[in-house]
Amino acid sequence: MRFFLQWESHWTHMPKLEQKTARLTVLIDPSKKRAFEALCASLDVTPSQVVRKLIRDYLTQNGVQWTPGDHGEDNAGDADGQG
């Protein structure tokens, strides 16, 4: 099962808005997807908001710097972009 994240533009508190034009496909167990969506709904957040926060936090925890809206080349490979 494919899980498509819908990008939204609610982030007005950020100094520079993120460009939410890239799509990430995540394959997960259907029952886990239902539980995740139910939890998100109960917390009044979208699954996309939660996943974007998880990604931001993961990048920060691993010392990866990024700039919202940066249109630089995609770095394939490891976290420092060295391949």
Coordinates of all heavy atoms in Angstrom, one line a residue:
M1 N 0.8 -1.2 0.0 CA 0.0 0.0 0.0 C 0.9 1.2 0.0 O 1.9 1.3 0.7 CB -0.9 0.0 1.2 CG -1.6 1.3 1.4 SD -2.8 1.3 2.7 CE -4.1 0.5 1.8
R2 N 0.5 2.2 -0.8 CA 1.3 3.4 -0.9 C 0.6 4.5 0.0 O -0.6 4.6 0.0 CB 1.4 3.9 -2.3 CG 2.3 3.0 -3.1 CD 2.6 3.5 -4.4 NE 3.4 2.6 -5.1 CZ 4.2 2.8 -6.1 NH1 4.2 4.0 -6.6 NH2 4.9 1.9 -6.6
F3 N 1.4 5.3 0.7 CA 0.9 6.3 1.6 C 1.4 7.6 1.0 O 2.6 7.9 1.1 CB 1.4 6.0 3.0 CG 1.0 7.0 4.0 CD1 -0.4 7.3 4.2 CD2 1.9 7.6 4.8 CE1 -0.8 8.2 5.1 CE2 1.5 8.5 5.8 CZ 0.2 8.8 6.0
F4 N 0.5 8.4 0.4 CA 0.9 9.7 -0.2 C 0.6 10.8 0.8 O -0.4 10.9 1.3 CB 0.1 9.9 -1.5 CG 0.5 9.0 -2.6 CD1 -0.3 7.9 -2.9 CD2 1.7 9.2 -3.3 CE1 0.0 7.0 -3.9 CE2 2.0 8.3 -4.3 CZ 1.2 7.2 -4.6
L5 N 1.6 11.6 1.0 CA 1.5 12.7 1.9 C 1.1 13.9 1.1 O 1.6 14.3 0.1 CB 2.9 13.0 2.6 CG 3.5 11.8 3.3 CD1 4.8 12.2 3.8 CD2 2.6 11.4 4.4
Q6 N 0.1 14.6 1.6 CA -0.4 15.8 1.0 C 0.3 17.0 1.6 O 0.2 17.2 2.8 CB -1.9 15.9 1.1 CG -2.7 14.8 0.4 CD -2.4 14.8 -1.1 OE1 -2.4 15.8 -1.8 NE2 -2.1 13.6 -1.6
W7 N 0.9 17.8 0.9 CA 1.6 19.0 1.4 C 0.7 20.2 1.6 O -0.1 20.4 0.7 CB 2.8 19.4 0.5 CG 3.7 18.2 0.3 CD1 3.9 17.5 -0.8 CD2 4.6 17.6 1.3 NE1 4.7 16.5 -0.7 CE2 5.2 16.5 0.6 CE3 4.9 17.9 2.6 CZ2 6.2 15.8 1.3 CZ3 5.8 17.1 3.2 CH2 6.4 16.0 2.6
E8 N 0.8 20.8 2.7 CA -0.1 22.0 3.0 C 0.8 23.2 3.3 O 2.0 23.0 3.5 CB -0.9 21.7 4.2 CG -1.8 20.5 4.0 CD -2.7 20.1 5.2 OE1 -2.7 20.9 6.1 OE2 -3.3 19.1 5.1
S9 N 0.2 24.4 3.3 CA 1.0 25.6 3.5 C 0.5 26.3 4.7 O -0.1 27.4 4.5 CB 1.1 26.4 2.2 OG -0.2 26.7 1.8
H10 N 0.6 25.8 5.9 CA 0.1 26.4 7.1 C 1.3 27.1 7.9 O 1.0 27.7 8.9 CB -0.5 25.4 8.0 CG -1.7 24.8 7.5 ND1 -2.6 25.4 6.7 CD2 -2.2 23.5 7.7 CE1 -3.6 24.5 6.4 NE2 -3.3 23.4 7.0
W11 N 2.5 26.9 7.5 CA 3.6 27.3 8.3 C 4.0 28.8 8.1 O 5.0 29.2 7.6 CB 4.8 26.5 7.9 CG 4.5 25.0 8.1 CD1 4.1 24.1 7.2 CD2 4.5 24.3 9.3 NE1 3.9 22.9 7.7 CE2 4.1 23.0 9.1 CE3 4.9 24.7 10.6 CZ2 4.1 22.0 10.1 CZ3 4.8 23.7 11.6 CH2 4.4 22.4 11.3
T12 N 3.1 29.7 8.7 CA 3.4 31.1 8.6 C 4.4 31.6 9.7 O 4.9 32.7 9.5 CB 2.1 31.9 8.7 OG1 1.5 31.5 9.9 CG2 1.2 31.6 7.5
H13 N 4.6 30.8 10.7 CA 5.5 31.2 11.8 C 7.0 31.1 11.4 O 7.9 31.5 12.1 CB 5.2 30.5 13.0 CG 5.5 29.0 12.9 ND1 4.6 28.1 12.4 CD2 6.6 28.3 13.3 CE1 5.2 26.9 12.4 NE2 6.3 27.0 13.0
M14 N 7.3 30.4 10.3 CA 8.7 30.2 9.9 C 9.2 31.4 9.1 O 8.5 32.0 8.4 CB 8.8 28.9 9.0 CG 8.3 27.7 9.7 SD 8.5 26.2 8.7 CE 10.3 26.1 8.7
P15 N 10.5 31.8 9.4 CA 11.0 33.0 8.7 C 11.0 32.8 7.2 O 10.7 33.8 6.5 CB 12.5 33.0 9.2 CG 12.6 31.9 10.2 CD 11.4 31.1 10.3
K16 N 11.3 31.7 6.6 CA 11.2 31.5 5.2 C 10.3 30.2 5.0 O 10.6 29.2 5.6 CB 12.6 31.3 4.6 CG 12.6 31.2 3.2 CD 14.0 31.1 2.7 CE 14.0 31.0 1.1 NZ 15.4 30.9 0.6
L17 N 9.3 30.4 4.2 CA 8.4 29.2 4.0 C 9.0 28.1 3.3 O 9.8 28.3 2.4 CB 7.1 29.7 3.2 CG 6.2 30.7 4.0 CD1 5.1 31.1 3.1 CD2 5.7 30.1 5.3
E18 N 8.7 26.9 3.7 CA 9.1 25.7 3.0 C 8.4 25.5 1.7 O 7.2 25.8 1.6 CB 8.9 24.4 3.9 CG 9.7 24.4 5.1 CD 9.4 23.1 5.9 OE1 9.0 22.1 5.3 OE2 9.6 23.1 7.1
Q19 N 9.1 25.1 0.7 CA 8.5 24.8 -0.6 C 8.0 23.3 -0.5 O 8.8 22.4 -0.4 CB 9.5 24.9 -1.7 CG 10.0 26.3 -1.9 CD 8.9 27.3 -2.3 OE1 8.1 27.0 -3.2 NE2 8.9 28.4 -1.7
K20 N 6.7 23.2 -0.5 CA 6.1 21.8 -0.3 C 5.7 21.3 -1.6 O 4.5 21.0 -1.8 CB 5.0 21.9 0.7 CG 5.5 22.4 2.1 CD 4.3 22.5 3.1 CE 4.8 23.2 4.3 NZ 4.8 24.6 4.2
T21 N 6.7 21.1 -2.5 CA 6.4 20.6 -3.8 C 6.9 19.2 -4.1 O 6.6 18.6 -5.1 CB 6.9 21.5 -4.9 OG1 8.3 21.6 -4.7 CG2 6.2 22.9 -4.8
A22 N 7.7 18.6 -3.1 CA 8.2 17.3 -3.3 C 7.3 16.3 -2.6 O 6.7 16.6 -1.6 CB 9.6 17.2 -2.7
R23 N 7.2 15.1 -3.2 CA 6.4 14.1 -2.7 C 7.2 12.9 -2.1 O 8.2 12.6 -2.7 CB 5.4 13.5 -3.8 CG 4.5 12.5 -3.3 CD 3.5 12.1 -4.4 NE 2.8 13.2 -4.9 CZ 1.6 13.6 -4.5 NH1 1.0 12.9 -3.5 NH2 1.0 14.6 -5.0
L24 N 6.8 12.4 -1.0 CA 7.5 11.3 -0.4 C 6.5 10.1 -0.3 O 5.4 10.3 0.3 CB 8.0 11.7 1.0 CG 8.6 10.6 1.9 CD1 10.0 10.2 1.3 CD2 8.9 11.2 3.3
T25 N 6.9 9.0 -0.8 CA 6.0 7.8 -0.7 C 6.6 6.9 0.3 O 7.8 6.5 0.3 CB 6.0 7.1 -2.1 OG1 5.5 8.0 -3.0 CG2 5.0 5.9 -2.0
V26 N 5.7 6.5 1.3 CA 6.1 5.6 2.4 C 5.3 4.4 2.4 O 4.0 4.5 2.4 CB 6.0 6.3 3.7 CG1 6.4 5.4 4.9 CG2 6.8 7.6 3.7
L27 N 5.9 3.2 2.3 CA 5.1 2.0 2.4 C 5.1 1.5 3.8 O 6.1 1.3 4.5 CB 5.7 0.9 1.5 CG 5.9 1.3 0.0 CD1 6.6 0.2 -0.7 CD2 4.5 1.5 -0.6
I28 N 3.8 1.4 4.4 CA 3.7 0.9 5.8 C 2.5 0.0 5.8 O 1.7 -0.1 4.9 CB 3.4 2.1 6.8 CG1 2.2 2.9 6.4 CG2 4.6 3.1 6.8 CD1 1.8 3.9 7.5
D29 N 2.4 -0.7 6.9 CA 1.4 -1.7 7.2 C 0.0 -0.9 7.2 O -0.1 0.1 7.9 CB 1.6 -2.4 8.5 CG 0.5 -3.3 8.9 OD1 0.6 -4.5 8.3 OD2 -0.3 -3.0 9.7
P30 N -1.0 -1.4 6.6 CA -2.3 -0.7 6.5 C -2.9 -0.4 7.9 O -3.4 0.7 8.2 CB -3.2 -1.6 5.7 CG -2.3 -2.4 4.9 CD -1.0 -2.6 5.7
S31 N -2.7 -1.4 8.9 CA -3.3 -1.1 10.2 C -2.5 0.0 10.9 O -3.1 0.8 11.7 CB -3.4 -2.4 11.0 OG -2.1 -2.9 11.2
K32 N -1.2 0.0 10.7 CA -0.4 1.1 11.3 C -0.8 2.4 10.7 O -0.8 3.4 11.4 CB 1.1 0.8 11.0 CG 2.0 1.7 11.8 CD 3.5 1.4 11.5 CE 3.8 0.0 12.0 NZ 5.2 -0.4 11.8
K33 N -1.1 2.5 9.4 CA -1.5 3.7 8.8 C -2.8 4.2 9.4 O -2.9 5.4 9.7 CB -1.6 3.5 7.3 CG -2.1 4.7 6.5 CD -2.3 4.4 5.0 CE -2.8 5.6 4.2 NZ -4.3 5.7 4.3
R34 N -3.8 3.3 9.5 CA -5.0 3.7 10.1 C -4.9 4.2 11.5 O -5.5 5.2 11.9 CB -6.0 2.5 10.1 CG -6.6 2.2 8.7 CD -7.7 1.2 8.8 NE -7.3 -0.1 9.4 CZ -6.7 -1.1 8.7 NH1 -6.6 -1.0 7.4 NH2 -6.4 -2.2 9.2
A35 N -4.0 3.5 12.3 CA -3.8 4.0 13.7 C -3.1 5.4 13.7 O -3.5 6.2 14.5 CB -2.9 3.0 14.4
F36 N -2.2 5.6 12.8 CA -1.5 6.9 12.7 C -2.4 8.0 12.3 O -2.5 9.0 12.9 CB -0.3 6.7 11.7 CG 0.4 8.0 11.5 CD1 1.2 8.6 12.5 CD2 0.4 8.6 10.2 CE1 1.8 9.8 12.2 CE2 1.1 9.8 10.0 CZ 1.8 10.4 11.0
E37 N -3.3 7.7 11.3 CA -4.2 8.7 10.9 C -5.3 9.0 12.0 O -5.6 10.2 12.2 CB -5.0 8.2 9.6 CG -4.0 8.2 8.4 CD -4.7 7.6 7.2 OE1 -5.6 6.7 7.3 OE2 -4.3 8.0 6.1
A38 N -5.7 8.0 12.7 CA -6.6 8.2 13.8 C -6.0 9.1 14.9 O -6.6 10.0 15.5 CB -7.1 6.9 14.4
L39 N -4.7 8.8 15.3 CA -4.0 9.5 16.3 C -3.9 11.0 15.8 O -4.1 11.9 16.6 CB -2.7 8.9 16.6 CG -1.8 9.7 17.6 CD1 -2.5 9.9 18.9 CD2 -0.5 9.0 17.7
C40 N -3.5 11.2 14.6 CA -3.3 12.6 14.1 C -4.7 13.3 14.2 O -4.7 14.5 14.6 CB -2.8 12.5 12.6 SG -1.1 12.0 12.5
A41 N -5.7 12.7 13.8 CA -7.0 13.3 13.8 C -7.4 13.7 15.2 O -7.9 14.7 15.5 CB -8.1 12.4 13.2
S42 N -7.1 12.8 16.2 CA -7.5 13.1 17.6 C -6.6 14.2 18.2 O -7.1 14.9 19.1 CB -7.3 11.8 18.4 OG -5.9 11.5 18.7
L43 N -5.5 14.5 17.6 CA -4.6 15.6 18.0 C -4.8 16.8 17.1 O -4.1 17.8 17.3 CB -3.1 15.1 18.0 CG -2.8 14.0 18.9 CD1 -1.4 13.5 18.7 CD2 -3.0 14.4 20.4
D44 N -5.7 16.7 16.2 CA -6.0 17.9 15.3 C -4.8 18.3 14.5 O -4.5 19.5 14.3 CB -6.6 19.0 16.1 CG -7.3 20.0 15.1 OD1 -7.8 19.6 14.1 OD2 -7.4 21.2 15.5
V45 N -4.0 17.4 14.0 CA -2.9 17.6 13.1 C -3.1 16.7 11.9 O -3.7 15.7 12.0 CB -1.5 17.4 13.7 CG1 -1.3 18.4 14.8 CG2 -1.4 16.0 14.3
T46 N -2.5 17.1 10.8 CA -2.5 16.2 9.6 C -1.3 15.2 9.7 O -0.3 15.6 10.3 CB -2.5 17.0 8.3 OG1 -1.2 17.6 8.2 CG2 -3.6 18.0 8.2
P47 N -1.4 14.1 9.0 CA -0.3 13.2 9.0 C 0.9 13.9 8.3 O 2.1 13.7 8.8 CB -0.8 12.0 8.1 CG -2.2 12.0 8.4 CD -2.6 13.4 8.5
S48 N 0.7 14.7 7.3 CA 1.8 15.5 6.7 C 2.5 16.4 7.7 O 3.8 16.5 7.6 CB 1.3 16.3 5.5 OG 0.8 15.5 4.5
Q49 N 1.8 17.1 8.5 CA 2.4 17.9 9.5 C 3.3 17.1 10.4 O 4.4 17.6 10.7 CB 1.3 18.7 10.3 CG 0.6 19.7 9.6 CD -0.6 20.3 10.3 OE1 -1.3 19.5 11.0 NE2 -0.8 21.6 10.2
V50 N 2.8 16.0 10.9 CA 3.6 15.1 11.8 C 4.9 14.6 11.1 O 6.0 14.7 11.6 CB 2.8 14.0 12.3 CG1 3.6 13.0 13.1 CG2 1.6 14.5 13.1
V51 N 4.8 14.2 9.8 CA 5.9 13.6 9.1 C 6.9 14.8 8.8 O 8.1 14.5 9.0 CB 5.5 12.9 7.8 CG1 6.7 12.6 7.0 CG2 4.7 11.7 8.2
R52 N 6.5 15.9 8.4 CA 7.4 17.0 8.2 C 8.2 17.4 9.5 O 9.4 17.6 9.5 CB 6.7 18.3 7.7 CG 6.3 18.2 6.2 CD 5.9 19.5 5.7 NE 4.7 20.1 6.3 CZ 3.4 19.9 5.9 NH1 3.2 19.1 4.8 NH2 2.4 20.4 6.5
K53 N 7.5 17.4 10.6 CA 8.1 17.7 11.9 C 9.2 16.6 12.3 O 10.3 16.9 12.7 CB 7.1 17.8 13.0 CG 7.8 18.2 14.4 CD 6.8 18.5 15.4 CE 7.4 18.9 16.8 NZ 8.8 18.7 17.0
L54 N 8.8 15.3 12.0 CA 9.7 14.2 12.3 C 11.0 14.4 11.4 O 12.1 14.2 11.9 CB 9.0 12.9 12.0 CG 8.0 12.4 13.0 CD1 7.2 11.2 12.4 CD2 8.6 12.0 14.3
I55 N 10.8 14.7 10.2 CA 11.9 14.9 9.3 C 12.8 16.1 9.7 O 14.0 16.0 9.8 CB 11.5 15.1 7.8 CG1 10.9 13.8 7.3 CG2 12.6 15.5 6.9 CD1 10.2 13.9 6.0
R56 N 12.2 17.2 10.1 CA 13.0 18.4 10.6 C 13.7 18.0 11.8 O 14.9 18.3 12.0 CB 12.0 19.6 10.9 CG 11.6 20.3 9.7 CD 11.0 21.7 10.1 NE 9.9 21.5 11.1 CZ 8.6 21.3 10.8 NH1 8.2 21.2 9.5 NH2 7.7 21.2 11.7
D57 N 13.1 17.3 12.8 CA 13.7 16.9 14.0 C 14.9 15.9 13.8 O 15.9 16.0 14.4 CB 12.7 16.3 15.0 CG 11.7 17.3 15.5 OD1 11.9 18.5 15.3 OD2 10.7 16.9 16.2
Y58 N 14.7 15.0 12.9 CA 15.7 14.0 12.5 C 16.9 14.7 11.9 O 18.1 14.4 12.2 CB 15.1 13.0 11.6 CG 16.0 11.8 11.3 CD1 16.2 10.8 12.3 CD2 16.6 11.6 10.1 CE1 17.1 9.7 12.0 CE2 17.4 10.6 9.8 CZ 17.7 9.6 10.8 OH 18.5 8.5 10.5
L59 N 16.7 15.6 11.0 CA 17.8 16.4 10.4 C 18.6 17.1 11.5 O 19.8 17.1 11.5 CB 17.3 17.3 9.3 CG 16.7 16.7 8.1 CD1 16.1 17.7 7.2 CD2 17.8 16.0 7.3
T60 N 17.8 17.8 12.4 CA 18.5 18.6 13.4 C 19.3 17.7 14.3 O 20.4 18.0 14.7 CB 17.4 19.4 14.2 OG1 16.8 20.3 13.3 CG2 18.1 20.2 15.3
Q61 N 18.7 16.6 14.8 CA 19.4 15.6 15.7 C 20.7 15.1 15.1 O 21.6 14.7 15.8 CB 18.5 14.4 16.0 CG 17.3 14.8 16.9 CD 16.3 13.6 17.0 OE1 16.6 12.5 16.5 NE2 15.2 13.9 17.7
N62 N 20.7 15.0 13.8 CA 21.9 14.5 13.1 C 22.8 15.5 12.5 O 23.7 15.2 11.7 CB 21.5 13.5 12.0 CG 20.9 12.2 12.6 OD1 21.7 11.4 13.1 ND2 19.6 12.1 12.7
G63 N 22.6 16.8 12.9 CA 23.5 17.9 12.5 C 23.4 18.2 11.0 O 24.4 18.8 10.5
V64 N 22.3 17.9 10.4 CA 22.2 18.3 9.0 C 21.5 19.7 8.9 O 20.4 19.9 9.5 CB 21.3 17.2 8.2 CG1 21.1 17.7 6.8 CG2 22.0 15.9 8.3
Q65 N 22.2 20.6 8.2 CA 21.6 21.9 8.1 C 20.9 22.0 6.7 O 21.3 21.4 5.7 CB 22.7 23.0 8.1 CG 23.4 23.0 9.4 CD 24.4 24.2 9.5 OE1 24.7 24.8 8.5 NE2 25.0 24.3 10.7
W66 N 19.8 22.7 6.7 CA 19.0 22.9 5.5 C 18.3 24.2 5.6 O 18.2 24.8 6.7 CB 18.0 21.8 5.3 CG 17.0 21.7 6.5 CD1 17.2 21.1 7.7 CD2 15.7 22.3 6.6 NE1 16.2 21.2 8.5 CE2 15.2 22.0 7.9 CE3 15.0 23.0 5.8 CZ2 14.0 22.4 8.3 CZ3 13.7 23.5 6.2 CH2 13.2 23.2 7.5
T67 N 18.0 24.8 4.5 CA 17.3 26.1 4.4 C 15.9 25.9 3.8 O 15.9 25.3 2.6 CB 18.1 27.0 3.5 OG1 19.4 27.2 4.1 CG2 17.5 28.4 3.5
P68 N 14.9 26.3 4.4 CA 13.5 26.2 3.8 C 13.5 26.9 2.5 O 14.0 28.0 2.4 CB 12.6 26.8 4.8 CG 13.3 26.7 6.1 CD 14.8 26.9 5.8
G69 N 12.9 26.3 1.5 CA 12.7 26.9 0.2 C 14.0 26.8 -0.7 O 14.0 27.3 -1.8
D70 N 15.1 26.2 -0.2 CA 16.3 26.1 -0.9 C 16.1 25.2 -2.1 O 15.6 24.1 -2.0 CB 17.4 25.5 -0.1 CG 18.8 25.5 -0.7 OD1 18.9 26.2 -1.8 OD2 19.7 24.8 -0.2
H71 N 16.4 25.7 -3.3 CA 16.2 24.9 -4.5 C 17.5 24.3 -5.0 O 17.7 24.1 -6.2 CB 15.6 25.8 -5.6 CG 14.2 26.3 -5.3 ND1 13.1 25.4 -5.3 CD2 13.7 27.5 -4.9 CE1 12.1 26.1 -4.9 NE2 12.4 27.3 -4.7
G72 N 18.5 24.1 -4.1 CA 19.7 23.5 -4.5 C 19.5 22.1 -5.0 O 18.5 21.5 -5.0
E73 N 20.6 21.5 -5.5 CA 20.6 20.1 -6.0 C 20.2 19.2 -4.9 O 20.6 19.4 -3.7 CB 21.9 19.7 -6.6 CG 22.3 20.4 -7.8 CD 23.6 19.9 -8.4 OE1 23.8 18.7 -8.3 OE2 24.4 20.8 -8.9
D74 N 19.5 18.1 -5.2 CA 19.2 17.1 -4.2 C 20.5 16.3 -4.0 O 21.3 16.0 -4.9 CB 18.2 16.0 -4.8 CG 16.8 16.7 -4.8 OD1 16.6 17.6 -4.1 OD2 16.0 16.1 -5.6
N75 N 20.8 16.1 -2.7 CA 22.0 15.3 -2.4 C 21.7 13.9 -2.2 O 21.0 13.5 -1.3 CB 22.6 15.9 -1.1 CG 23.2 17.2 -1.2 OD1 23.7 17.6 -2.3 ND2 23.1 18.1 -0.2
A76 N 22.2 13.0 -3.1 CA 21.9 11.6 -2.9 C 23.0 11.0 -2.1 O 24.1 11.5 -2.0 CB 22.0 10.9 -4.3
G77 N 22.7 10.0 -1.4 CA 23.7 9.3 -0.5 C 23.5 9.7 0.9 O 22.4 9.8 1.4
D78 N 24.7 9.8 1.6 CA 24.6 10.0 3.1 C 24.2 11.4 3.4 O 24.0 12.3 2.6 CB 25.9 9.5 3.7 CG 27.1 10.3 3.2 OD1 27.0 11.2 2.4 OD2 28.2 9.8 3.5
A79 N 24.1 11.7 4.7 CA 23.6 12.9 5.3 C 24.4 14.1 4.8 O 23.9 15.2 4.7 CB 23.5 12.9 6.8
D80 N 25.7 14.0 4.6 CA 26.5 15.2 4.2 C 26.5 15.4 2.7 O 27.2 16.3 2.2 CB 27.9 15.1 4.8 CG 28.7 13.9 4.2 OD1 28.3 13.2 3.3 OD2 29.9 13.8 4.6
G81 N 25.8 14.6 2.0 CA 25.7 14.8 0.5 C 26.8 14.3 -0.3 O 27.0 14.6 -1.4
Q82 N 27.8 13.6 0.4 CA 29.0 13.1 -0.3 C 28.8 11.8 -1.1 O 29.7 11.3 -1.6 CB 30.1 13.0 0.7 CG 30.5 14.3 1.4 CD 30.9 15.4 0.4 OE1 31.7 15.2 -0.5 NE2 30.3 16.5 0.5
G83 N 27.6 11.2 -1.0 CA 27.3 10.0 -1.8 C 27.6 8.8 -1.0 O 27.7 7.8 -1.2

